[in-house]
Amino acid sequence: MAAELAGKKIIFIVGGPGSGKGTQCERIVAKYGYCHLSSGDLLRAEVASGSERGQELQEIMKRGELVPLETVLAMIRDKMLANTDAKGFLIDGYPREVDQGKQFESSIASATSVLYLDVATETMVQRLIKRGQTSGRADDNEETIRARLNTFEKATAPVVDFYKQQGKLFEIERSVAESSPDDVFAKVCLLFDKL
Ligand SMILES: Nc1ncnc2c1ncn2[C@H]1C[C@H](O)[C@@H](COP(=O)(O)OP(=O)(O)O)O1
Ligand SMILES: [Mg+2]
C-alpha cells in the first residue's frame, strides 16, 4: 500500500475495447479534474520509445493478448506516484483480469468504485473498425479486434462480477452505453457527483 495515495479516490474504468472508456475519461477529466491513466496509452508509449521491452509488448498487443501483470502494474504505480497532488485517479483499461485487481489492491490501494460500460460485441467491432481508419493503432484491425474481444470476454468479464460482489460496481447499462457520448456522460456524472 502506497501511503502517499491514502484518501485519494481511485476509479477503475472497465469495458471492452471500443466501449468508450477513453471518450468518457476525457470528459471526466474536463469536468472533475481527475488524473487519467490509460494502461493502453502507457503501453503504447513504451512501444513508441523503441525500447526492447516495447518491442516485446507490441508483439503481445498485436496478438490481442494481455501483457504481463507486473509490467502494467509498475507503469501505473509510477504514474500515480508522480501525480499525488491529483484529487483522484481514473484507471482506464485496468484491471483486465481479476488477479490484476487483487495485485493493485495489495501493492497500491483499493479502488473506490468501478465504472463499467456494457456495450454489445458487434457495436464494439463496428466502432473499432471505424477508429482504425484514423487511429494508426496496430491493434485496430478486424483480426486483432476479434482476438481482443475474446480476451475481454474470458479474462475481463469476471472482473465485473468480482466488483459487483464487493458492492463497488457502477454499471452503465447497455441501452445507455450504446447511446451518444453525451448521454453516456450524463449517467457517468451521477457516479462522480456523489464521490
Ligand atoms: N457512445 C458512443 N457512441 C458512438 N461512438 C462512440 C461512443 N463512445 C466512443 N465512441 C467511439 C470513439 C472511438 O472511435 C471508438 C472507441 O472509443 P474509445 O473511447 O477509444 O474506447 P476504449 O477506450 O474503450 O477502447 O468508439
Ligand atoms: Mg482506450
Side-chain angles (χ1 to χ4, degrees):
M1 166 86 194
E4 304 92 313
L5 297 169
K8 299 285 181 190
K9 309 251 188 269
I10 298 176
I11 317 302
F12 289 152
I13 316 292
V14 174
S19 59
K21 301 182 295 294
T23 302
Q24 293 305 315
C25 282
E26 218 174 275
R27 285 160 201 248
I28 298 165
V29 169
K31 180 162 181 188
Y32 299 94
Y34 280 52
C35 172
H36 176 208
L37 300 180
S38 157
S39 57
D41 289 350
L42 292 172
L43 293 165
R44 284 185 288 277
E46 181 75 33
V47 171
S49 77
S51 69
E52 202 169 309
R53 183 162 78 157
Q55 285 179 16
E56 287 166 21
L57 293 172
Q58 182 159 42
E59 290 311 309
I60 297 170
M61 290 194 276
K62 270 197 197 147
R63 292 197 300 268
E65 296 169 3
L66 297 177
V67 308
L69 191 159
E70 301 73 24
T71 309
V72 199
L73 192 64
M75 284 181 174
I76 292 177
R77 190 175 206 276
D78 289 351
K79 206 66 190 208
M80 288 177 81
L81 292 174
N83 287 281
T84 48
D85 53 340
K87 77 172 183 197
F89 295 91
L90 301 176
I91 315 290
D92 162 6
Y94 185 100
R96 288 287 225 272
E97 52 189 349
V98 172
D99 250 9
Q100 290 188 355
K102 291 181 178 166
Q103 290 288 337
F104 184 99
E105 175 141 13
S106 59
S107 67
I108 304 179
S110 64
T112 313
S113 202
V114 179
L115 174 68
Y116 169 50
L117 297 163
D118 181 19
V119 172
T121 302
E122 274 319 304
T123 308
M124 295 194 274
V125 172
Q126 294 316 317
R127 286 184 186 176
L128 290 171
I129 288 173
K130 195 161 166 226
R131 185 174 77 182
Q133 291 165 0
T134 53
S135 71
R137 278 178 52 166
D139 59 354
D140 279 347
N141 63 80
E142 187 148 6
E143 192 186 339
T144 306
I145 290 168
R146 297 274 172 203
R148 287 158 68 202
L149 285 162
N150 192 30
T151 300
F152 172 73
E153 269 152 38
K154 285 206 187 96
T156 313
V159 169
V160 172
D161 292 333
F162 181 72
Y163 290 107
K164 196 177 216 166
Q165 279 164 24
Q166 294 184 16
K168 289 188 175 177
L169 198 74
F170 185 86
E171 179 168 348
I172 307 290
E173 71 266 29
R174 200 164 282 192
S175 59
V176 177
E178 296 204 339
S179 58
S180 73
D182 283 348
D183 288 349
V184 178
F185 187 59
K187 183 86 192 272
V188 166
C189 288
L190 298 180
L191 168 65
F192 283 85
D193 280 342
K194 65 179 166 58
L195 283 176

